[in-house]
Amino acid sequence: MKKNTIVTLADMKARGEKISQLTCYDYSTARLMDQAGINMILVGDSLGMTMQGYSDTIPVTMEEMIVYGRSVVRGCENTFVVVDMPFMSYQASVEQAVVNAGRLMKETGCDAVKLEGGREVCDQIRAITAAGIPVCAHVGMTPQSHHAFGGFKVQGKGEEGAARVLADAMAVQAAGAFAVVLECVPPKLAALITRKLDIITIGIGAGAACDGQVLVWQDMLAMGPFTPKFVKHFAQVGQIMTDAFQAYDAEVKDASFPAAAQTYAKSDCSDEILERLEGRQSAELLKLYSL
Ligand code: KIV
């Protein structure tokens, strides 16, 4: 298998080959995704919800993105890793955006960063890409702005709404983004945007016509507390884990775990050794064995 890069991903679009992306936040899961041939991983700020239990992504910090991001990067050989810029790490100024994108790349080893927004973040996209850091944009329903939207709602409805999302997607391409996530937009609008743009579109709740798809990994494995409409469960891993935890609990409690197969029986102490040790105080042992 070959390392995925912005060039190989663009070539996939040109050949009409679909691109797979999942979110990921840890080394062990990243290794499995890399071995499975997933093209891209997003270390999404959704980790605020999936890993930390917050109700949205707003509290996530740069330091947290760096810890999770570098764990994922260590698990990937070929998968292209994108790390999300958390809320207020790029909105306040272009300079802050460049400094924080640079920190994410330098301190995690990721391949690209992602930020949310359209026309309003184009200055940031231009400056970050000028610094040599590939940028994935994110338009439509942008979770960091859910307060401004009045909830996590489908965007791009009606002619004006559709024009707004299209204008945003075209603007981020013109600013230098190599890819754009289209989240919760009507499927025919996502198809139009995908046809019009040269850069990769990655859909989530945006229909099958996008160049690629992304899902939150706990969602696609049925581990989340709820299931958004656009999620498909590819395996009932949540149930498998619960069953395994219950089996472990039961075996610990009835002492059937650990069994002989899980113990170091071959190196066990002889009865003579045990006899000599039994009943000795700690100080005595230290003295007797010059410990
Ligand atoms: O943070 C995230 O996981 C995301 C995806 C849902 C696209 O932005």
Side-chain angles (χ1 to χ4, degrees), residues 36 68 85 96 171 197 202 207 226 229 247 272 291:
Y68 288 99
M85 300 196 69
Q96 210 176 43
L197 294 192
I202 304 284
F226 66 95
K229 179 173 169 53
E272 293 77 49
L291 300 174

Side-chain angles (χ1 to χ4, degrees), residues 2-9 21 30 34 38-43 69-70 72-84 101-114 128-129 131-136 176-179:
K2 229 170 91 181
K3 168 77 187 160
N4 289 275
T5 66
I6 56 168
V7 174
T8 65
L9 296 167
Q21 184 175 37
D34 187 75
I38 296 296
N39 296 115
M40 302 173 81
I41 279 177
L42 170 64
V43 185
R70 63 160 74 111
V72 167
V73 167
R74 288 193 201 110
C76 291
E77 226 173 279
N78 298 314
T79 304
F80 186 92
V81 181
V82 182
V83 176
D84 246 342
R103 274 197 74 193
L104 288 179
M105 179 161 267
K106 222 172 157 153
E107 296 181 41
T108 68
C110 68
D111 299 296
V113 300
K114 178 169 84 58
I128 296 169
T129 53
I133 302 169
V135 177
C136 175
F178 79 97

Side-chain angles (χ1 to χ4, degrees), residues 277 279-286:
L277 297 179
R280 302 249 186 225
Q281 298 303 310
S282 168
E284 261 184 289
L285 289 169
L286 298 181

